[in-house]
Amino acid sequence: MVLIEAWFMDDSDTDQRMPHKRNPNEPVSLEELKKLGVFHWKLDADIYEADPALEKIRKDRGYAYSDIITIHKDKLPNYEDKLKMFFEEHLHLDDEIRYILDGSAYFDVRDSEDRWIRISMAKGDMITLPAGIYHRFTLTETNYTKAMRLFVGEPVWKAYNRPADEFEIRKRYLKSLPVTGGIE
């Protein structure tokens, strides 16, 4: 079973919902993602309301708050504007935790050399992006996902578009990277 699929993105500016794999494809391993502070779990989304594995993760990591968002043109007010906002490169002062309950989506993150890595998310995938990492989100060609958003404490929705290097959390994130001479 493949836990997660990730790859370095091509430089094409075609539809953001396309896979954007390089030719030949340059996969990124789960180990490489972990070095960036990105963590992944594969869970059973069909039992999310009573899943002991999800409860253990929530307890161990302090994910006290959650809600569910459906991203589809018929379900999300201001759908087009929201998609544009989600795809704008940004960071958060807190971790971003998402659990895909249905559908599919992509998270794009920057590596230590400022290259985009695309992470394919499908039903049952849960991901944590560390505070301070530049990232963005988009749907796949299916144009639909249903996701649980989790937070440590009260939800914080504020995104800081790039450049946001002045934040202490960004500086701490860069120092945490194993590659010397990270992004300045």
Side-chain angles (χ1 to χ4, degrees):
M1 173 175 80
V2 174
L3 282 179
I4 195 167
E5 186 181 7
W7 55 88
F8 285 106
M9 292 181 68
D10 65 21
D11 295 325
S12 170
D13 61 359
T14 58
D15 189 342
Q16 70 194 38
R17 297 165 300 174
M18 302 297 288
H20 288 280
K21 291 183 178 182
R22 292 182 178 175
N23 188 8
N25 186 32
E26 295 179 45
V28 175
S29 71
L30 192 55
E31 283 306 311
E32 290 173 89
L33 292 175
K34 284 181 183 177
K35 289 177 185 174
L36 298 174
V38 176
F39 293 93
H40 171 265
W41 297 266
K42 189 69 168 178
L43 302 170
D44 183 350
D46 291 330
I47 62 166
Y48 77 90
E49 294 178 272
D51 184 0
L54 176 60
E55 281 307 309
K56 180 171 179 3
I57 293 166
R58 290 185 69 164
K59 182 179 179 206
D60 291 350
R61 298 182 69 94
Y63 301 157
Y65 177 89
S66 70
D67 68 6
I68 294 174
I69 183 171
T70 301
I71 304 173
H72 184 269
K73 65 180 179 178
D74 296 335
K75 299 285 185 181
L76 185 64
N78 304 312
Y79 171 78
E80 292 295 335
D81 291 336
K82 295 277 182 160
L83 279 184
K84 287 177 188 169
M85 181 183 74
F86 296 155
F87 197 64
E88 190 74 31
E89 185 175 2
H90 63 277
L91 61 76
H92 300 285
L93 304 182
D94 297 296
D95 291 353
E96 181 162 328
I97 307 108
R98 297 295 181 266
Y99 177 20
I100 304 299
L101 301 176
D102 197 17
S104 57
Y106 295 123
F107 275 98
D108 301 336
V109 298
R110 292 280 190 179
D111 76 352
S112 61
E113 296 175 32
D114 215 26
R115 299 173 295 180
W116 280 117
I117 296 171
R118 177 150 279 187
I119 304 166
S120 180
M121 302 282 293
K123 183 177 179 178
D125 288 323
M126 183 170 155
I127 195 170
T128 298
L129 305 179
I133 192 173
Y134 282 124
H135 66 281
R136 61 191 182 188
F137 170 87
T138 191
L139 294 176
T140 65
E141 295 171 90
T142 65
N143 292 312
Y144 166 74
T145 197
K146 179 178 178 182
M148 178 183 288
R149 302 181 288 192
L150 297 113
F151 297 87
V152 175
E154 291 297 312
V156 178
W157 306 107
K158 181 72 176 148
Y160 298 91
N161 290 345
R162 189 171 186 175
D165 297 326
E166 71 277 8
F167 288 100
E168 185 59 34
I169 196 68
R170 176 69 180 161
K171 294 173 186 171
R172 271 189 279 166
Y173 173 72
L174 290 174
K175 287 179 184 172
S176 75
L177 296 175
V179 177
T180 58
I183 307 164
E184 297 297 324

